[in-house]
Amino acid sequence: MTPGWCQRAFRGEARQLQEVRRYVGGLLTDCPDRDAVITCVAELASNAIMHTHSGNGGTFVVHVQRSTNELRIAVADAGAATQPTIRIAETENLLEGGRGLAIVAALSEQMGVDGDARGRTVWAEFRWPEQQSVARTSPEVEPSRALVELGTKFGAWVCWFGNQTRQWWAMPRMPKPLLISASSAHDLAHRIALIEQSGT
């Protein structure tokens, strides 16, 4: 995606999430934080479907705005009676309702909510050094092999690397109020193994 602005409306149905991923991924083929951005958009779209009027026969709109070394994503929904609660992922013990937004907060530079019960926009911003404005290929900054190894060893966990935070993150696939981080893939694997051994 060259610098500019794009948007697309989607039906408020869970089966649209895969299309959202394809749409955003296709726009960001050279983005340093492509995987993180796709993950965040999917989480915001899922929240719109599950927790707003968009999921009751309505629609939501995905916005993508990019400059040379900055990117802003946003999901505009049809509104809901309750305000989304953003919990910054600084603790392992997160309420289940904040899991999706905690992921977005962990992966993005900053995030926020605009609007009211008639319609809200939840957004997240990403930044990277200008020299990294093309896709990263170094295993050190795009640790795809380590992600594959983690996924193979710990299939019950979702693992990712946050380019903004420079931290490794994981959360169990089953609904548990748990989000953990570590400074390396090795340390993350060790933490997951200890949690699995303790049965917590």
Side-chain angles (χ1 to χ4, degrees):
M1 177 183 176
T2 57
W5 177 80
C6 295
Q7 70 175 33
R8 179 175 166 184
F10 296 87
R11 295 188 303 277
E13 303 169 354
R15 60 185 177 181
Q16 291 286 292
L17 292 176
Q18 189 60 37
E19 186 60 29
V20 169
R21 288 177 174 272
R22 280 196 292 265
Y23 170 66
V24 175
L27 293 174
L28 304 177
T29 55
D30 65 339
C31 176
D33 290 332
R34 181 175 183 268
D35 291 342
V37 173
I38 293 172
T39 297
C40 291
V41 170
E43 292 294 343
L44 297 182
S46 178
N47 282 351
I49 294 168
M50 294 177 59
H51 303 301
T52 79
H53 298 309
S54 293
N56 188 23
T59 62
F60 62 92
V61 179
V62 173
H63 303 265
V64 181
Q65 184 175 4
R66 180 176 177 182
S67 63
T68 302
N69 63 330
E70 295 183 355
L71 183 139
R72 178 185 174 102
I73 58 168
V75 173
D77 60 51
T82 56
Q83 173 88 0
T85 301
I86 301 172
R87 301 181 178 89
I88 303 301
E90 294 176 347
T91 176
E92 297 178 3
N93 297 314
L94 295 169
L95 298 176
E96 290 179 19
R99 286 160 55 96
L101 293 180
I103 291 175
V104 178
L107 293 178
S108 63
E109 183 78 15
Q110 61 180 337
M111 64 178 297
V113 181
D114 300 321
D116 54 32
R118 295 168 295 180
R120 291 191 177 91
T121 299
V122 186
W123 53 268
E125 294 181 347
F126 302 79
R127 300 184 186 91
W128 52 89
E130 194 164 345
Q131 65 270 23
Q132 295 178 357
S133 59
V134 296
R136 295 168 174 156
T137 56
S138 166
E140 182 178 345
V141 294
E142 188 182 358
S144 56
R145 180 179 296 180
L147 285 172
V148 170
E149 292 176 355
L150 285 168
T152 301
K153 187 173 183 180
F154 303 106
W157 292 74
V158 178
C159 303
W160 69 92
F161 179 75
N163 281 316
Q164 299 288 336
T165 62
R166 311 306 297 171
Q167 290 282 308
W168 287 82
W169 299 84
M171 64 191 309
R173 294 183 185 276
M174 297 299 291
K176 294 180 181 178
L178 188 64
L179 177 68
I180 63 173
S181 67
S183 58
S184 69
H186 175 78
D187 289 345
L188 187 71
H190 181 66
R191 295 199 66 187
I192 295 173
L194 288 176
I195 291 171
E196 290 191 339
Q197 289 172 8
S198 67
T200 58

